Amino acid sequence: MLPKIILLLLLAGIVVSLFSGLYFLLHDRSDRRRVLTALKFRVGLSIALLVFLALAFINGWLKPHGLGG
């Protein structure tokens, strides 16, 4: 159950970072580079998600299932 919660948290973080970057792109007129920061954070979360998925499959925490039973 814990690996699924971690997956959902990582996915939620990616989506929040995506929309915060979009907001900063449309509304931020300063030189603070918040869009770039949001992009770096999203890429980092995506890499963490891929690493976690690989570890979860290797350790047997998550098991893939076939289509159609």
Side-chain angles (χ1 to χ4, degrees):
M1 186 69 176
L2 183 63
K4 291 180 183 179
I5 293 172
I6 294 172
L7 279 175
L8 289 176
L9 288 175
L10 284 171
L11 286 172
I14 291 170
V15 170
V16 167
S17 177
L18 176 70
F19 283 109
S20 68
L22 177 66
Y23 177 79
F24 293 141
L25 181 67
L26 295 176
H27 297 287
D28 192 18
R29 300 289 180 216
S30 68
D31 293 331
R32 294 178 60 185
R33 299 182 184 225
R34 292 193 282 187
V35 175
L36 181 62
T37 303
L39 174 64
K40 289 189 286 188
F41 192 70
R42 188 171 77 239
V43 169
L45 284 175
S46 298
I47 291 170
L49 177 66
L50 289 175
V51 169
F52 179 75
L53 280 174
L55 287 174
F57 283 127
I58 289 170
N59 291 327
W61 301 332
L62 295 175
K63 295 183 176 85
H65 58 81
L67 296 176

